[in-house]
């Protein structure tokens, strides 16, 4: 069985990093087409993600032919917890397998255990992200640029 990894948080964070760098480089707005090219996806998916980020006050969008998106706050004022919660909503970190027949002691208790385990893991993720801002992510990204070879084009 093939499982698709959820890339919503990664996509949202990468989008915000692109916008932060663009702002530093003097670009006032970045179009959904530009973001889509950088993310390797289509502009309509980017617009949908940007709409969620805008609803939460993380970005601002300007409509029209010369419009685009920019950060609504400074990178120091954007906690990664907000980005994560905006991106994934109320979707759990993991999903428990569907419950089957309850003829075994293990299967009757596994779902409840897994639910508690998932809750603890989600709380750990939120604590870790709560200690980080977009500025921290940008700084760490830049530090790793110096320690890794440039990607091939």
């Amino acid at each position: 069985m093939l499982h698709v990894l959820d890339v919503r948080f990664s996509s949202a964070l990468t989008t915000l990093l692109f916008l932060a760098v663009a702002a530093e480089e003097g670009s006032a707005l970045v179009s959904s087409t530009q973001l889509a090219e950088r993310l390797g996806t289509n502009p309509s998916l980017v617009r949908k993600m940007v709409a969620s980020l805008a609803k939460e006050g993380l970005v601002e969008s300007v409509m029209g032919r010369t419009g685009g998106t920019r950060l609504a706050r400074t990178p120091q004022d954007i906690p990664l917890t907000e980005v994560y919660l905006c991106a994934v909503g109320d979707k759990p970190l993991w999903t428990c397998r569907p419950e089957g027949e309850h003829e075994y002691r293990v299967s009757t208790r596994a779902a409840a255990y897994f639910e508690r385990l998932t809750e603890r893991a989600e709380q750990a993720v939120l604590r870790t992200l709560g200690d980080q801002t977009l500025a921290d992510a940008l700084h760490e990204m830049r530090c790793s640029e110096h320690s890794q070879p440039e990607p091939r084009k």
Side-chain angles (χ1 to χ4, degrees):
M1 175 184 265
L2 178 64
H3 294 279
V4 178
L5 295 175
D6 191 329
V7 296
R8 291 178 296 176
F9 173 57
S10 173
S11 297
L13 178 57
T14 303
T15 296
L16 295 176
L17 288 167
F18 282 134
L19 294 174
V21 169
E24 289 177 348
E25 294 174 350
S27 297
L29 298 168
V30 180
S31 73
S32 57
T33 300
Q34 292 169 314
L35 288 170
E37 287 172 4
R38 292 176 177 144
L39 290 169
T41 190
N42 69 58
S44 65
L45 287 175
V46 169
R47 284 189 290 275
K48 183 177 178 182
M49 177 181 49
V50 165
S52 294
L53 294 170
K55 182 179 176 187
E56 296 302 319
L58 299 172
V59 300
E60 298 172 332
S61 293
V62 176
M63 306 303 269
R65 194 162 203 261
T66 59
T69 303
R70 65 178 162 241
L71 293 179
R73 299 186 241 158
T74 66
Q76 296 84 354
D77 294 327
I78 299 177
L80 295 189
T81 304
E82 282 188 46
V83 180
Y84 176 78
L85 292 172
C86 176
V88 301
D90 60 358
K91 183 180 179 201
L93 184 62
W94 301 312
T95 303
C96 187
R97 62 176 288 109
E99 292 186 35
E101 292 294 320
H102 294 289
E103 55 188 84
Y104 299 104
R105 285 186 303 176
V106 171
S107 62
T108 60
R109 292 181 179 93
Y113 168 74
F114 192 79
E115 191 175 306
R116 290 188 306 272
L117 180 64
T118 299
E119 177 62 28
R120 290 192 307 263
E122 286 176 339
Q123 290 305 314
V125 167
L126 292 173
R127 277 191 308 275
T128 299
L129 295 175
D131 293 337
Q132 301 281 313
T133 65
L134 185 61
D136 297 324
L138 195 57
H139 174 75
E140 202 167 313
M141 181 185 74
R142 287 193 171 126
C143 287
S144 70
E145 284 176 354
H146 302 295
S147 65
Q148 297 179 1
E150 284 289 316
R152 292 185 185 154
K153 292 186 179 187

